[in-house]
Amino acid sequence: LATMKKEIVIVGGGFGGIRAALSLARKKFIDAHITLISDKSHFEYTPAFYRVVTGHSPLEVCIPITEIISKKEILFINERVESVNLSPQTLIGSSGKVYHYDYVVFALGSETSYFGIPGLPTFSYGFKSIGEAQKLKLHIRRLFEQCVVEANPDEKVCLLNVVVVGGGPSGTELAGELSVFLKKLSEEYNVSPSLVSIELMEGTERILPSLPEHVSRRVADRLRHLGVNIFVHRPMTLEKMEEINVRGLTMKTETVIWTAGVKPNSLYERIQGFDRDKKGRIVVDTFLRAKGFENVYVIGDGASTIYSGMAQTAICDGANVATNIVRQLSGIPLVSYRQRKPYYAIPVGHGWAASSVGPITFYGKLGWLIRRAADVKYFLTILPPRKALLVFQRGKNLCKSCGICDTQ
């Protein structure tokens, strides 16, 4: 009698989940059904969100998952997983539907953490999704429209003072891109550029604290050259309407962009039976299986690994677990996970980036070209060449009217 195929369920359509699904689908003779469940109908290329805020088409970073898995033996379900029962092995979706699994891969990513700072969730702008990026873009344009008709000089300054909190890669990239974009808007709306200011706040002793000090220094010089004001040792304590308080400083602004804190997806908190580290990430073994479970894998931002939180790490995680699930199905010993140190590529304004290749860091135009090449290279791993190149043509779309990137 034919045996029933095993059920492999991947939860999350980000870097790790997409890589796990595609890698599994490419394995020959795999005797299993592959199901990908995501609460978004599209994949979001988070490293380029800053481009959406500054006027580029969201279609450059937004790809329908159905396009990615086209002609592959992967079942895609667009639904949010609300709860998980590790015994019995079931997932429950927001529709109430129950999904059974023999192997499950949790690739849920992370979400914004506000560290309990009063007022921050209400009055700040997030930067974790295309929807948030578009909302911020519209907000900035409305401020320029207000500035044109505002008579009070002090109010004009307040309107066009933008505060980016968090000097990590996301905050640094956004501050650099905003410096160029706001100058263009000044010309478009005939507003004096002297009214525009961008403040980058970092709570530690320097921006990009996770990168080598020489990189931090060069990037800081570039930001200052673009007109960005950098404040370090400035953790935020409170935000109110039109005003923020950081250590030793009070500032009036209509725009606070929060890029400083993330935490594992809240679904992880609701799953009973996992061991967690101090950051709330799931403790995994050398094969990326949740501690104490033979068939439950956790990858990407939610896994307690050294380089967790990086897109490159999630991609590597996804490929690794795909290999090990196939080995489990075949009764072959698993291969241990090799944690690779991610490279970095930090764009700071158009045409300039700090990019690492091995031990060497390239700055300026060459660094920028390396970063753009890395973007193209990634899309070529998930799309056919023609479609991958379409992603980089401003305003082009892979589908005629998917509507997934419409501003809400």
Side-chain angles (χ1 to χ4, degrees), residues 54-124:
T54 56
H56 290 261
S57 169
L59 304 175
E60 295 181 36
V61 296
C62 180
I63 305 174
I65 291 177
T66 51
E67 289 288 337
I68 297 174
I69 66 172
S70 176
K71 299 180 182 179
K72 297 177 177 64
E73 294 188 7
I74 302 170
L75 172 63
F76 173 59
I77 298 173
N78 182 201
E79 181 171 24
R80 179 184 297 275
V81 172
E82 296 290 354
S83 62
V84 177
N85 297 309
L86 298 175
S87 180
Q89 298 171 171
T90 57
L91 314 169
I92 301 175
S94 53
S95 67
K97 186 174 180 179
V98 178
Y99 303 94
H100 298 268
Y101 67 84
D102 294 293
Y103 297 90
V104 64
V105 180
F106 290 108
L108 296 165
S110 57
E111 57 190 46
T112 302
S113 173
Y114 296 102
F115 303 136
I117 300 172
L120 199 56
T122 304
F123 302 123
S124 69

Side-chain angles (χ1 to χ4, degrees), residues 222-239:
R222 167 66 175 175
L223 285 169
R224 292 189 181 100
H225 174 73
L226 293 173
V228 176
N229 302 311
I230 301 174
F231 298 88
V232 295
H233 290 296
R234 302 283 183 173
M236 180 179 281
T237 56
L238 179 68
E239 182 183 2

Side-chain angles (χ1 to χ4, degrees), residues 114-121 123-124 163 165 234-247 249-251 253 256 258:
Y114 296 102
F115 303 136
I117 300 172
L120 199 56
F123 302 123
S124 69
V163 179
V165 183
R234 302 283 183 173
M236 180 179 281
T237 56
L238 179 68
E239 182 183 2
K240 298 181 289 186
M241 288 292 289
E242 297 188 7
E243 184 178 291
I244 67 167
N245 296 308
V246 295
R247 191 169 66 186
L249 182 67
T250 299
M251 187 177 298
T253 179
V256 174
W258 179 254

Side-chain angles (χ1 to χ4, degrees), residues 57 59-60 386 388-397:
S57 169
L59 304 175
E60 295 181 36
R386 184 184 64 82
L389 293 176
L390 270 178
V391 172
F392 289 87
Q393 295 183 34
R394 186 174 181 179
K396 297 291 184 180
N397 197 356

